[in-house]
Amino acid sequence: MTYMSQLPTRTSGFSNLRTHRGAPLDRPLTLAVAGAGARGAGYLGLAAEDATPVRITAIAEPRIARRDELALRHGVPDEGLFTDWRELAARPRLADAVLIAVQDSGHLEAAEAFAGLGYDILLEKPMATSVEDVDRIAAAAEEAGVSLTVCHVMRYSPYTVRLKELVDAGRIGDVVSVQHLEPIGYWHYAHSYVRGNWRRADESSFALLTKSCHDIDWLSHVVGRSVRAVSSFGSLSHFRPENAPAGSTDRCVNCPLAKISCAYAAQKLYRIGLREGGVKRYFARIAADELTEEAVTRALETGPYGRCVYRSDNDVVDHQVVNLEYEGGLTASFTLTAFTPREDRHTKIFGTRGQLTGDGRTIEVYDFTTDERTLIDTDNGGAGAAEGHGGGDAGLVSAFLKALHQGRPELLLTGVRESRDTHRVVFAAEEARRTGQVVRL
C-alpha cells in the first residue's frame, strides 16, 4: 500500500513569514491563549516565567473560574476574556501569536481561523485527528504566511539536544538502527486512556496519535531522515469487561477490591495525589478541578475518573509496536505500552562504531574501538519524564517566544511541513496496524 497526501508542493522555510521578516520587536510580544486546560495553562505559566518580554492579552476558556484565576494571575484585561475560542477569533487580532490548546478535534477549525487572522501559532500536539486535516492546517499556515509550530516538546529537552549532538558528530559512526520505548505508566494510562479524554478513538483519536506522535517525530529528528515504510501491531488486550476481577463493581469507591488487590483503583491515584504532590497531584486536579478531599471524593463518585477500568467505554490500544524504515535503509522499532511504572523513555541507538543508550536524562556512549563506556548526565534541572517532559516544555515555549520576539526562526526545531510529514507517519502506522499491511510513504 502507498500512503500519500494531496497537499501541493511549495517552497519550504520561513522566508515568507510576516513576523520573521522584520526586525526584532522593540516591545513585549503579545500572546493569546485558546484553551486553558492542563496543557494550555502549563504553557501559559512557562511563557509568563520566560526571560522574553511577553504580555498575555486574551484567554478563551469555557471554565470561567479557571479562566478568571489565570487572568488575574497574568494581568489579562476583562476585554480579553472569552468563554469560547470562536469569540476570540471573531474579534480583530488581539495578539502577535496564539497558543491553541483546545481539544484535538477542534485543532483544524481553530488553526484555520487564527491563521486567517494573521496570528503566528503554537499548536498543541497532535496537529489534527486525520491526515486530511493535518494537510489543511499546513496549507492554511502557508497560505496565510504565518508561522505554525507544533508542540513537539521532546525535541527541546537538554537530553535530546545533547543526544542529537552526539549522533550528528558521528560519535557512534553511522546510525544503523534504533530501539525506542515509551513506558506510559499503568496509572497514567488508566487516567488518560481508559477513564479520560483520550479513551475513545471516535471522541479523540487513536493512541499512537494522541500519545506518541511525540515519539515518532522525535525519532525522525534524531536520525535526520524521512520514513519510507512502516508496519505495526497492537491491540486493547487488558482493559476490557471480560477481564474484570470477580466481585469488582462499576465504581472504585464502592469496590471491595480497591484496597486489597486492584492496581488501578482510582483512590490509589487521586487521593494519594492530594498528599504526595507531583504528577499524581496534577492528575488529581484534572479529575476534580479542585484540590480538596471533598472535591476528589465527589469526582470519584460521579465523574468519569471514578469508573472501574474494566467497565469503561474505552477502545484505544494498550500496547503497540511500530517498525519504521527510513531513507537509506536505517530502521527503528518503537513500543508504547501501558504496563510499566511511570518513568522516562528508554532508547538504544546502534551505530557502526558504537552504541548510545539513553533514559531521558543520562546517555551512555559505548565505543567499539576502545570498549570504553562514557556516561553523560544531561541534568534536566531535576525534571524527569513527568516534569515538563524533561525540560522540553520550557525549552519549546522559550524557543517560540524568542523566535518571534527576536526574529530568529532558526530557534524553532520544526516547521509546519516537517510536523505535517511526521504526523503522516503516525497515520500510516495506524493504517498498518488496522490492515496488517506494510504502508509505504
Side-chain angles (χ1 to χ4, degrees), residues 28-29 61 75 115 127 133 141 199 211 221 225 254 290 295 315 360 388 397:
L29 181 77
E61 166 58 42
M127 283 182 74
D133 288 357
R199 70 190 184 278
K211 185 68 183 80
H221 174 60
R225 302 190 191 186
N254 304 319
E290 186 180 341
D315 62 9
V397 171

Side-chain angles (χ1 to χ4, degrees), residues 129-372:
T129 56
S130 74
V131 71
E132 294 81 11
D133 288 357
V134 165
D135 286 350
R136 283 181 58 181
I137 288 174
E142 291 192 328
E143 183 68 26
V146 300
S147 168
L148 189 146
T149 302
V150 178
C151 295
H152 291 307
V153 296
M154 289 174 61
R155 291 184 178 225
Y156 294 84
S157 71
Y159 164 78
T160 297
V161 171
R162 186 70 177 111
L163 184 73
K164 184 160 175 59
E165 286 175 351
L166 292 167
V167 171
D168 290 349
R171 186 69 178 270
I172 59 169
D174 296 328
V175 176
V176 176
S177 60
V178 183
Q179 183 184 77
H180 183 60
L181 167 69
E182 179 171 15
I184 298 175
Y186 71 100
W187 50 264
H188 181 192
Y189 183 89
H191 169 85
S192 297
Y193 303 97
V194 178
R195 296 173 172 129
N197 290 334
W198 297 275
R199 70 190 184 278
R200 291 185 59 87
D202 61 347
E203 294 183 4
S204 176
S205 193
F206 53 95
L208 188 69
L209 180 69
T210 60
K211 185 68 183 80
S212 298
C213 65
H214 271 325
D215 298 86
I216 301 302
D217 173 80
W218 185 85
L219 285 166
S220 289
H221 174 60
V222 168
V223 303
R225 302 190 191 186
S226 299
V227 174
R228 67 185 189 187
V230 58
S231 65
S232 184
F233 304 92
S235 65
L236 174 60
S237 63
H238 183 66
F239 299 100
R240 306 167 64 93
E242 59 266 31
N243 292 325
S248 60
T249 59
D250 289 346
R251 286 197 169 267
C252 295
V253 290
N254 304 319
C255 184
L257 306 181
K259 293 183 179 181
I260 303 171
S261 60
C262 184
Y264 304 98
Q267 298 93 315
K268 181 180 178 182
L269 171 56
Y270 303 111
R271 285 183 176 153
I272 289 177
L274 286 174
R275 301 190 297 271
E276 288 189 358
V279 179
K280 288 187 177 181
R281 187 177 182 87
Y282 169 85
F283 283 127
R285 176 64 182 267
I286 293 173
D289 206 36
E290 186 180 341
L291 289 172
T292 65
E293 188 73 36
E294 295 75 18
V296 170
T297 297
R298 185 166 59 252
L300 300 190
E301 290 174 344
T302 62
Y305 295 99
R307 291 185 292 189
C308 173
V309 293
Y310 302 102
R311 295 180 171 86
S312 186
D313 58 345
N314 57 299
D315 62 9
V316 299
V317 302
D318 53 25
H319 67 111
Q320 186 170 355
V321 295
V322 179
N323 296 311
L324 302 160
E325 183 184 39
Y326 294 83
E327 292 176 348
L330 189 155
T331 58
S333 64
F334 168 67
T335 299
L336 73 86
T337 179
F339 307 106
T340 67
R342 179 78 168 122
E343 58 188 12
D344 285 330
R345 293 160 167 91
H346 305 299
T347 307
K348 286 183 180 289
I349 304 178
F350 308 100
T352 55
R353 292 174 47 200
Q355 173 184 291
L356 292 182
T357 303
D359 64 3
R361 173 171 173 169
T362 61
I363 304 167
E364 182 190 84
V365 182
Y366 182 86
D367 190 309
F368 293 165
T369 303
T370 63
D371 285 329
E372 292 179 347

Side-chain angles (χ1 to χ4, degrees), residues 3 27 32 41 72 99 228 390 408 425:
Y3 201 79
R27 57 169 174 77
L72 181 63
L99 162 63
R228 67 185 189 187
R408 298 175 59 196
V425 177

Side-chain angles (χ1 to χ4, degrees), residues 98-134:
V98 62
L99 162 63
I100 299 177
V102 299
Q103 284 296 312
D104 301 343
S105 60
H107 283 189
L108 171 65
E109 185 184 0
E112 287 186 326
F114 287 113
L117 290 168
Y119 285 88
D120 287 318
I121 296 170
L122 182 62
L123 177 63
E124 175 60 341
K125 63 87 182 171
M127 283 182 74
T129 56
S130 74
V131 71
E132 294 81 11
D133 288 357
V134 165

Side-chain angles (χ1 to χ4, degrees), residues 401-415:
L401 299 178
K402 286 183 175 64
L404 299 186
H405 188 261
Q406 299 176 14
R408 298 175 59 196
E410 71 276 4
L411 295 177
L412 298 172
L413 301 179
T414 179

Side-chain angles (χ1 to χ4, degrees), residues 25 27-34 40-50 52-60 74-77 80 88 93-100 114 119-123 397 400-401 404:
L25 297 176
R27 57 169 174 77
L29 181 77
T30 52
L31 179 67
V33 178
Y43 291 136
L44 175 57
L46 291 169
E49 295 168 3
D50 194 76
T52 302
V54 62
R55 184 163 59 89
I56 312 303
T57 57
I59 299 176
H74 298 293
V76 182
L88 170 59
R93 185 160 60 94
L94 299 181
D96 299 304
V98 62
L99 162 63
I100 299 177
F114 287 113
Y119 285 88
D120 287 318
I121 296 170
L122 182 62
L123 177 63
V397 171
F400 181 76
L401 299 178
L404 299 186

